[in-house]
Amino acid sequence: QVTLVESGGGLVQAGGSRRLSCAASGRTLSTYVIRWFRQAPGKEREFVAAVRWGSSNPYYTDSVKGRFSMSTDNTKNTAYLQMNSLKAEDTAVYYCAADEGVGTDRYWGQGTQVTVSS
């Protein structure tokens, strides 16, 4: 069992920055892939970023490349999503998720709201 808790959301001005945290408990995540998703009002859930725990090579969706950075901290058992140059269209509930690949359970956090004012 893996429990994930997102934090760090809030209101930010367009062009500003925000760092989201995804704190994991219940298990060491060295074999997991961590993913960030977001869902804006009235829209489908969208993939944002993913990284294998401990990797220095995250993958990002095109709309956030060059603006968002994802990382993991083994000491704190926490994944981060650093969001820079925020735009109004980044407004969404952001969720983190963890799994060990095809055929494994995917664990989800409860989400954290990010609102970007234009």
Side-chain angles (χ1 to χ4, degrees):
Q1 177 68 34
V2 175
T3 299
L4 305 173
V5 179
E6 300 98 332
S7 62
L11 178 64
V12 61
Q13 294 288 325
S17 298
R18 198 83 177 184
R19 189 181 76 163
L20 305 183
S21 298
C22 176
S25 62
R27 191 177 302 275
T28 300
L29 300 184
S30 59
T31 62
Y32 281 73
V33 174
I34 311 299
R35 311 175 198 270
W36 285 95
F37 298 86
R38 65 187 182 185
Q39 188 164 25
K43 296 185 177 181
E44 295 182 356
R45 185 184 63 197
E46 176 188 23
F47 169 80
V48 176
V51 72
R52 181 168 58 86
W53 192 269
S55 172
S56 60
N57 296 288
Y59 176 82
Y60 306 98
T61 193
D62 287 345
S63 63
V64 308
K65 286 181 179 177
R67 300 189 299 119
F68 290 13
S69 298
M70 186 178 178
S71 62
T72 58
D73 185 328
N74 193 58
T75 300
K76 298 181 179 179
N77 221 35
T78 298
Y80 301 96
L81 184 68
Q82 177 66 47
M83 306 183 295
N84 300 321
S85 301
L86 283 162
K87 306 174 181 179
E89 54 260 43
D90 295 319
T91 295
V93 177
Y94 284 72
Y95 301 90
C96 65
D99 64 76
E100 294 183 284
V102 175
T104 69
D105 291 335
R106 179 171 287 177
Y107 303 94
W108 293 85
Q110 83 291 340
T112 185
Q113 174 73 47
V114 175
T115 302
V116 183
S117 61
S118 60

